[in-house]
Amino acid sequence: MTQTYDVLIIGSGAAGQSLALRLAEHQRVALVTKRTLEDSASSWAQGGIAAVLDATDSIEEHIHDTLLAGAGLCDERVTRFVVENGHRAIEWLIHLGVPFTREAGTSTGYHLTREGGHSHRRIIHAADATGAAMQRALTDQVRAHPRIDVFERHIGLDLVMADKVDGSAEGCLGAYVFDIERDHVVTIAARNTVLATGGTGKVYLYTTNPDVATGDGVAMAWRAGCRVANMEFIQFHPTCLYHPQVKSFLITEAVRGEGGVLRLPDGTRFMPDHDERAELAPRDIVARAIDFEMKKRGLDCVYLDISHKPADWLREHFPTIHARCLELGIDITKDPIPVVPAAHYSCGGVVTDLSARTDLPGLYCIGETAYTGLHGANRLASNSLLECVVFAEAAAHDILNSEREFPPPLPKWDESRVTDADEEVVISHNWDELRRFMWDYVGIVRTTKRLQRAQHRIRLLTREIHDYYSNFRVSNDLIELRNLVVTADLIVRCAMRRRESRGLHYSHDYPETLQRVRPTILKPRR
Ligand SMILES: Cc1cc2nc3c(=O)[nH]c(=O)nc-3n(C[C@H](O)[C@H](O)[C@H](O)COP(=O)(O)OP(=O)(O)OC[C@H]3O[C@@H](n4cnc5c(N)ncnc54)[C@H](O)[C@@H]3O)c2cc1C
């Protein structure tokens, strides 16, 4: 049976939940999410949210820092839009009850921290677990809201497009959604549909992202006919905890912002040899420097040392990191922290405008899934949560003014020609293979030859996964793998088009930065 709503939102991170709350005062919302409401990259954010809050800071300086990090590729209009709306976004979160860390005697009443690439202290935070505090505040209100229906353990599978239903140009009419627990596909129709599925980190072997970050929204939008841009710009976080018992635990940028230094195993500090800003250089420079030192010396990791700070101060400012490391036998008040770079953030995504509209009527995209133009070739730390909240508001405004009709009855998901999968191992094998070669061939430093190798393997995998998908019933893992391979393909295609090194994209074959500055925009074949 088709269920019909005013708005269908796929994804329950900071972007999806902010939007749901803003819409639900006026419209009925279906919020679909793969696992639980809280399970998202947003919950894992440690550092905080960048915004101009202090009287000594300015909009122009935040814009300047963002443009500088973006290496010429930020859209200035979008950057101004986000930065100018920053203060309001933070006020909205405070009003919602997010418990940001306070500091008496400051002009704001809040403690603001500083991160790499920022010329001011402008990161508002809730100790070192900002995302968790924010998600809690959002989730509490979403769960309690009578006009939001939450579908947990439901994974968006594909968008339902009008041209496939009745040949019209009405755009997006909703989505097919796989109910993971009941093992069947439901149809959700909506006047407007929003993709807020987060990032793509799981396309790489090492990532700071949660398991849900499999590029689903980008893949769904691409299959539906949306343009996708700048997928070559993957931010590798320089400092992910390196420990055999831990999959992805990030050591926030703020540790370097507060004086943490990077050392080789023999204690030598190396960042000053790579950049005059040393540990406060932007992430891409720090990640490449660590990659360089590790490859040159055959190291498994390097060390981030903040043990020179007072122990009480460290426990107060970095309670989560302190506790997690201590569980593993690392006392950050005394010991340096072993770290490696890992895939962290996708600057590219589905092309959207200032109202979060995609190329297709009735389809919006917000948060990390979207390419708004804010991040350019490199994201400035803590600008992404800000982008989530600002564009959630922009999308809400546009959707509430939309006059789209309710869709006609939608066709059911057709399972008549498929059977139960015979060999699940095909999925896990292909998943591992994809993530390994993306790490080896499409990682921090790229070459044309490596990209070609990756492309060749992606073609083989695409064929195999397509055959599997056409013949067998869908499952959560198959849906994710199908999306991961599309995402990997888009990353490689964008990387091959960029014949220069800029921001996060570094190619040995094209080390120069060109004068001409252009985003990489891919258009699907219709
Ligand atoms: C460890 C870590 C630390 C970070 N620290 C900061 C920071 O300090 N400051 C900052 O600004 N940014 C930070 N970032 C980046 C920031 O957290 C993300 O960019 C941001 O949270 C993205 O929000 P989102 O709502 O777009 O996606 P997410 O928060 O990832 O949410 C995506 C949601 O979509 C769901 N989903 C995905 N696919 C489907 C599907 N097919 N069907 C249904 N549901 C689906 C997921 O389950 C999830 O609920 C950090 C990221 C990480 C990983």
Side-chain angles (χ1 to χ4, degrees):
M1 216 180 69
T2 302
Q3 307 189 48
T4 303
Y5 287 85
D6 289 302
V7 188
L8 164 63
I9 301 173
I10 304 178
S12 66
Q17 294 207 60
S18 298
L19 176 60
L21 286 175
R22 289 195 186 265
L23 289 172
E25 290 312 304
H26 311 276
Q27 300 198 345
R28 279 192 68 228
V29 177
L31 182 57
V32 167
T33 189
K34 254 191 222 187
R35 308 266 191 282
T36 63
L37 273 185
E38 295 84 353
D39 200 343
S40 62
S42 301
S43 294
W44 288 18
Q46 296 176 347
I49 311 175
V52 177
L53 303 169
D54 187 79
T56 62
D57 195 1
S58 74
I59 298 281
E60 296 312 318
E61 281 165 291
H62 189 177
I63 292 174
H64 176 263
D65 292 345
T66 305
L67 298 181
L68 197 66
L73 261 182
C74 300
D75 181 323
E76 282 200 45
R77 204 168 56 110
V78 173
T79 307
R80 179 167 293 281
F81 174 76
V82 173
V83 171
E84 284 182 348
N85 281 292
H87 200 156
R88 255 221 340 270
I90 300 298
E91 276 176 356
W92 185 75
L93 290 171
I94 291 172
H95 180 71
L96 214 67
V98 180
F100 291 115
T101 300
R102 292 183 173 273
E103 188 173 44
T106 58
S107 67
T108 58
Y110 289 96
H111 180 263
L112 302 178
T113 189
R114 188 177 164 189
E115 294 184 337
H118 286 277
S119 56
H120 271 269
R121 283 186 172 266
R122 65 167 73 99
I123 320 297
I124 190 163
H125 61 103
D128 63 350
T130 308
M134 185 172 162
Q135 277 292 95
R136 241 185 335 266
L138 289 165
T139 301
D140 285 351
Q141 306 229 3
V142 163
R143 284 204 196 281
H145 207 295
R147 271 189 296 272
I148 303 175
D149 285 351
V150 174
F151 295 78
E152 289 177 307
R153 303 193 197 290
H154 281 67
I155 173 167
L157 203 172
D158 258 328
L159 298 166
V160 183
M161 301 307 299
D163 55 354
K164 302 266 165 46
V165 172
D166 57 13
S168 76
E170 287 302 307
C172 185
L173 308 178
Y176 293 117
V177 172
F178 180 65
D179 177 339
I180 297 168
E181 261 158 28
R182 289 184 193 80
D183 197 20
H184 76 129
V185 177
V186 294
T187 312
I188 301 184
R191 291 163 60 206
N192 288 292
T193 300
V194 186
L195 295 168
T197 59
T200 61
K202 293 300 281 189
V203 87
Y204 286 99
L205 186 60
Y206 299 115
T207 178
T208 64
N209 289 189
D211 288 347
V212 289
T214 52
D216 296 1
V218 172
M220 277 191 265
W222 176 254
R223 284 195 291 270
C226 292
R227 285 171 305 153
V228 164
N230 278 10
M231 294 295 290
E232 69 273 40
F233 297 114
I234 301 290
Q235 187 167 63
F236 289 83
H237 196 288
T239 55
C240 193
L241 180 66
Y242 178 74
H243 194 280
Q245 286 163 27
V246 178
K247 200 153 61 165
S248 33
F249 184 73
L250 179 141
I251 307 296
T252 170
E253 200 92 21
V255 173
R256 284 184 286 122
E258 296 295 346
V261 290
L262 283 160
R263 299 188 191 281
L264 297 171
D266 67 3
T268 313
R269 193 175 166 203
F270 58 88
M271 272 316 296
D273 299 339
H274 291 268
D275 193 281
E276 62 190 16
R277 290 162 290 186
E279 280 81 4
L280 287 181
R283 285 179 178 169
D284 58 318
I285 293 174
V286 180
R288 258 201 310 277
I290 297 174
D291 190 60
F292 175 85
E293 296 293 343
M294 284 174 55
K295 289 204 169 115
K296 183 171 139 192
R297 297 166 201 276
L299 305 173
D300 288 335
C301 66
V302 294
Y303 294 86
L304 180 58
D305 188 3
I306 191 155
S307 58
H308 50 278
K309 286 277 197 180
D312 285 347
W313 187 93
L314 281 174
R315 278 191 284 267
E316 186 193 339
H317 279 78
F318 301 113
T320 312
I321 295 174
H322 177 260
R324 186 77 184 103
C325 287
L326 210 55
E327 279 169 18
L328 301 164
I330 305 160
D331 181 351
I332 69 167
T333 66
K334 298 193 191 107
D335 309 320
I337 310 164
V339 290
V340 284
H344 184 55
Y345 185 82
S346 168
C347 292
V350 181
V351 176
T352 54
D353 67 10
L354 279 180
S355 300
R357 284 181 291 222
T358 68
D359 294 334
L360 302 172
L363 182 65
Y364 294 75
C365 183
I366 50 173
E368 193 168 336
T369 315
Y371 162 77
T372 63
L374 172 67
H375 306 299
N378 190 2
R379 175 187 70 126
L380 184 65
S382 290
N383 266 354
S384 41
L385 285 174
L386 179 65
E387 185 190 40
C388 287
V389 182
V390 168
F391 273 95
E393 185 188 11
H397 182 74
D398 207 69
I399 290 169
L400 292 174
N401 287 302
S402 149
E403 292 182 350
R404 277 175 68 80
E405 302 287 329
F406 282 99
L410 302 183
K412 268 182 63 178
W413 179 253
D414 182 5
E415 281 195 323
S416 58
R417 283 182 300 246
V418 293
T419 58
D420 284 329
D422 54 355
E423 297 241 301
E424 296 283 348
V425 68
V426 174
I427 296 176
S428 59
H429 176 88
N430 285 346
W431 181 294
D432 292 344
E433 185 187 340
L434 177 77
R435 296 182 66 208
R436 159 71 59 189
F437 73 67
M438 285 299 287
W439 182 258
D440 289 341
Y441 299 153
V442 198
I444 298 175
V445 174
R446 297 159 181 176
T447 68
T448 305
K449 209 170 185 172
R450 288 186 201 158
L451 292 176
Q452 285 166 343
R453 282 202 182 111
Q455 197 164 49
H456 175 66
R457 281 166 173 76
I458 286 170
R459 285 200 185 114
L460 296 177
L461 282 187
T462 303
R463 234 174 287 142
E464 203 166 302
I465 293 163
H466 178 75
D467 285 351
Y468 201 88
Y469 186 78
S470 312
N471 290 313
F472 299 115
R473 276 205 182 88
V474 289
S475 65
N476 180 76
D477 289 354
L478 177 57
I479 292 167
E480 290 186 342
L481 176 63
R482 176 173 174 248
N483 292 332
L484 279 174
V485 79
V486 172
T487 308
D489 182 42
L490 295 169
I491 295 171
V492 172
R493 281 160 68 168
C494 285
M496 289 182 87
R497 286 223 190 157
R498 186 160 294 282
R499 302 193 164 197
E500 62 167 344
S501 291
R502 181 186 297 277
L504 299 166
H505 174 75
Y506 184 83
S507 166
H508 267 320
D509 297 313
Y510 302 103
E512 307 297 327
T513 302
L514 299 179
Q515 287 287 321
R516 199 196 59 191
V517 187
R518 264 196 208 163
T520 313
I521 299 183
L522 302 178
K523 289 187 192 150
R525 260 186 260 133
R526 299 292 288 152

